[in-house]
Amino acid sequence: MTTTFSAAELAVLLGRPARAAVSAEERAAFTGRRVLITGAAGSIGSALARELAAADPAVIGVLDQSELGLFTIERELRAQWPALTIEPCLVDVTRGAAVRRVVGELQPDVVYHAAAYKHVTMAERAPAAAATVNVLGSIEVASA
């Protein structure tokens, strides 16, 4: 489930005004480019996907291992930007061959790697899983 907050709600929640992850100047650099976002169904990846979709990229690849999360962000992006070319990729970043296949097919100009286990308490409870995704996944994405 994705929850969207207004700017005012975010300011109350954060205790300060919300800032965009990507500035307007940075967003302009993505116009007409091929972008790939790993972890696109997560909180950080989906926020990046929304901001970069608004920059009118040539293609935006959204990659995640969560089928429901990927379905949800793809649907949201298509509703907001119907003319945008969106390539959903149901892939686990720890699977090097699958990551290389996606990168080979999409030929991205820019890759945002947001796929990670970020909740410290959960990572402490499952350190092997966290290390596999956070370390091996980063190696596989960087290698691809």
Side-chain angles (χ1 to χ4, degrees):
M1 177 168 101
T2 301
T3 303
T4 304
F5 295 99
S6 70
E9 291 169 325
L10 280 174
V12 169
L13 183 66
L14 295 172
R16 61 169 173 75
R19 293 185 299 267
V22 181
S23 72
E25 297 81 28
E26 291 168 330
R27 200 175 300 121
F30 296 98
T31 302
R33 309 279 306 275
R34 301 177 66 81
V35 178
L36 173 63
I37 302 165
T38 71
S43 57
I44 294 170
S46 63
L48 279 167
R50 289 181 203 97
E51 289 192 37
L52 296 177
D56 194 28
V59 174
I60 189 164
V62 287
L63 183 149
D64 206 283
Q65 57 82 33
S66 167
E67 178 191 22
L68 177 59
L70 189 60
F71 173 80
T72 302
I73 191 63
E74 177 193 11
R75 212 162 117 193
E76 180 184 337
L77 295 175
R78 288 193 192 283
Q80 184 75 27
W81 295 278
L84 179 61
T85 300
I86 302 165
E87 294 291 340
C89 308
L90 185 60
V91 170
D92 179 333
V93 294
T94 67
R95 305 293 185 187
V99 175
R100 286 189 299 279
R101 179 187 51 76
V102 167
V103 170
E105 289 173 3
L106 290 181
Q107 295 291 301
D109 298 306
V110 179
V111 177
Y112 272 94
H113 178 48
Y117 289 162
K118 299 170 185 81
H119 296 95
V120 174
T121 56
M122 296 303 283
E124 288 173 338
R125 288 185 186 117
T132 299
V133 170
N134 295 358
V135 177
L136 179 60
S138 295
I139 290 168
E140 295 296 358
V141 171
S143 296

